[in-house]
Amino acid sequence: MTLYLGIDFGTSGARAVVIDDEARIAFQMRHPWANVADWVICWKKALWSLLEGIPGELRREIGAIAINGTSSTILLTDAAGQPVDAPLLYNDSRGSMMLKDLSSIAPPNHTVLSATSSLAKLLWMQQLPTFSQARYLLHQADWLAFLLHGKLGISDYHNALKLGYDVEKLQYPEWLEKLQIPIHLPQVLAPGTSISELTPEIAVKIGFRPDCLVCAGTTDSIAAFLASGVKLPGEAVTSLGSTLVLKLLSRTRIEDAQYGIYSHRLGDLWLTGGASNTGGAVLKKFFTDEELVSLSQEIDISKMSKLDYYPLLKAGDRFPINDPHLLPRLEPRPDNPKDFLHGLLESMAWIEARGYELLQQLGADQLTHVHTAGGGASNSTWMAIRGRYLKVPVFSSINTEAAYGTALLAMGVLGR
């Protein structure tokens, strides 16, 4: 028997999932973040905790490991792989001050032209006193995998997208090379590609088989998509979490920063989409979990709400309207909280439908099915409303854990 391990380093914690040859879960474990003072120490502690938490009889059967990390979380290391400064996390926007210079070099509407892109962060980090000690740029998933296989400077084309890597030609573009960045950018492999066996020291220390392979990883959002099992063009996954994230599998690559749209390569297909700031965080501002359940059951889904909202916690959205100054629209607010919730759910469904319409207008495959992940997937009223707007079958994904999708990657869903 061979088992496969996927490890997810997400926004709220880390999780490990072990699956068997039939993709059934054999073990899972979570390590939450709490009062983090040093992310490097936190990540290492979580990695070893998860590995050592797997029962010994399962560890000895694990044949491959893959790790995902949050998109555009990066760090700089010295020649030995030791971080030279604190990492910059996925949502760190200090790179915004580099966008003017970057826009004169990168193509118009390129994915890197974002305050939180890996490349914008790297250009900002070049100004740090510690940059002179740096030799490698690594993404979170790259560095954690390095701790296991010992080979520096290897990434995957999901993590490298926002660094500027050309995922269509599978090479760094000429405009990026003109920046003459004085450190090593990672060698980029297809996600799921075998990199190397575990170092002998790690295999002995943790009790893994010595031929256990460490594979190139992915980002947390792509891992969650892989977990859904979606494989055909036209199928999509909507994540109803704190925000609203749309991903549509397509034969055509769609890239347009004007609308907050970019595409990840997925084998011979493209995973195109965007993320809106609307979503569950807005709902939880006005309702408790218990109220969301009880009020949703009172809504008559056969009737459309007459309320026209654009639900945001603060000004600004990314997709399908990419406008940092877009104002929330939450008025008028009816006296009956059921009617208010109805208006919010319908408005979010409209935003989701508009997002998929925009992707198709720009050339993506026609939408056929929508799998749903995230906490909102359990709200049957919201699911029914969304189905009315989307006009295609809408259902909950059986598996939504990013760690499960990463375990599938280790098993070879993209081929190795």
Side-chain angles (χ1 to χ4, degrees):
M1 176 177 68
T2 300
L3 301 176
Y4 305 92
L5 171 60
I7 303 178
D8 163 44
F9 276 74
T11 56
S12 60
R15 184 184 288 270
V17 168
V18 178
I19 62 173
D20 63 17
D21 285 317
E22 301 297 321
R24 295 172 300 202
I25 296 175
F27 176 80
Q28 54 187 323
M29 177 181 171
R30 184 170 177 77
H31 182 106
W33 309 139
N35 303 319
V36 177
D38 185 320
W39 279 108
V40 168
I41 292 175
C42 174
W43 294 343
K44 289 177 73 171
K45 181 179 178 181
L47 179 62
W48 304 134
S49 172
L50 292 173
L51 293 175
E52 292 168 354
I54 300 169
E57 65 271 19
L58 298 183
R59 285 186 236 171
R60 291 187 286 272
E61 302 297 336
I62 293 173
I65 302 171
I67 300 175
N68 77 66
T70 47
S71 179
S72 294
T73 294
I74 64 168
L75 68 168
L76 302 176
T77 78
D78 62 19
Q82 291 295 317
V84 302
D85 212 318
L88 292 193
L89 302 188
Y90 64 98
N91 57 355
D92 193 304
S93 60
R94 282 177 281 186
S96 60
M97 63 180 63
M98 311 308 299
L99 291 181
K100 184 177 180 181
D101 291 340
L102 189 53
S103 63
S104 66
I105 301 167
N109 295 327
H110 196 281
T111 307
V112 298
L113 297 174
S114 163
T116 58
S117 76
S118 301
L119 185 56
K121 290 186 177 90
L122 172 58
L123 297 183
W124 182 85
M125 293 176 93
Q126 280 190 251
Q127 304 174 92
L128 298 175
T130 51
F131 189 80
S132 60
Q133 304 167 38
R135 295 295 178 269
Y136 290 91
L137 173 134
L138 296 175
H139 301 91
Q140 179 186 31
D142 309 338
W143 184 71
L144 290 163
F146 154 74
L147 296 180
L148 300 182
H149 58 62
K151 297 185 181 300
L152 265 174
I154 299 176
S155 188
D156 63 89
Y157 58 57
H158 291 160
N159 273 294
L161 176 72
K162 294 179 183 178
L163 184 57
Y165 185 79
D166 188 329
V167 294
E168 195 157 16
K169 296 181 180 178
L170 298 178
Q171 64 186 34
Y172 284 107
E174 288 185 13
W175 64 262
L176 181 56
E177 293 177 349
K178 288 179 181 178
L179 288 172
Q180 297 183 325
I181 297 169
I183 61 172
H184 297 289
L185 298 183
Q187 174 190 355
V188 180
L189 305 176
T193 303
S194 300
I195 297 174
S196 180
E197 295 174 347
L198 287 170
T199 65
E201 296 80 11
I202 296 296
V204 171
K205 176 184 175 183
I206 307 295
F208 278 65
R209 46 195 266 188
D211 64 343
C212 178
L213 295 169
V214 182
C215 307
T218 183
T219 65
D220 57 343
S221 62
I222 300 296
F225 181 91
L226 295 175
S228 72
V230 167
K231 295 179 180 178
L232 299 176
E235 293 186 308
V237 173
T238 294
S239 294
L240 300 177
S242 298
T243 58
L244 177 72
V245 183
L246 278 56
K247 293 188 181 300
L248 172 62
L249 198 56
S250 173
R251 286 165 289 198
T252 305
R253 180 186 184 186
I254 309 296
E255 295 275 337
D256 198 331
Q258 176 185 349
Y259 297 108
I261 296 171
Y262 60 90
S263 293
H264 276 285
R265 185 173 188 142
L266 206 64
D268 294 328
L269 298 173
W270 297 95
L271 191 52
T272 183
S276 170
N277 292 333
T278 196
V282 179
L283 296 178
K284 290 194 173 185
K285 178 183 179 182
F286 298 106
F287 304 99
T288 65
D289 290 342
E290 293 75 17
E291 287 171 335
L292 285 172
V293 171
S294 61
L295 292 173
S296 293
Q297 293 171 348
E298 296 178 20
I299 292 172
D300 183 353
I301 58 176
S302 67
K303 297 180 180 178
M304 293 188 68
S305 171
K306 296 180 180 179
L307 297 167
D308 179 23
Y309 296 148
Y310 202 104
L312 299 170
L313 288 178
K314 60 182 182 180
D317 202 9
R318 299 170 286 168
F319 170 83
I321 300 173
N322 189 10
D323 180 357
H325 306 295
L326 183 68
L327 294 175
R329 193 165 67 246
L330 295 164
E331 300 288 342
R333 182 169 174 175
D335 294 332
N336 190 327
K338 175 200 70 175
D339 295 334
F340 183 45
L341 177 59
H342 191 182
L344 291 174
L345 295 179
E346 291 230 6
S347 299
M348 291 178 185
W350 177 87
I351 292 170
E352 179 184 3
R354 177 63 191 127
Y356 282 121
E357 288 171 4
L358 182 58
L359 294 175
Q360 293 166 92
Q361 288 170 5
L362 293 173
D365 278 70
Q366 183 174 348
L367 185 68
T368 61
H369 299 80
V370 177
H371 299 243
T372 309
S378 62
N379 188 317
S380 59
T381 300
W382 198 0
M383 295 282 281
I385 291 172
R386 292 172 54 235
R388 172 154 44 82
Y389 276 85
L390 292 168
K391 298 180 175 61
V392 297
V394 176
F395 42 85
S396 298
S397 297
I398 297 173
N399 292 294
T400 60
E401 287 288 350
Y404 180 81
T406 308
L408 291 176
L409 192 64
M411 192 168 72
V413 290
L414 296 186
R416 290 203 287 273

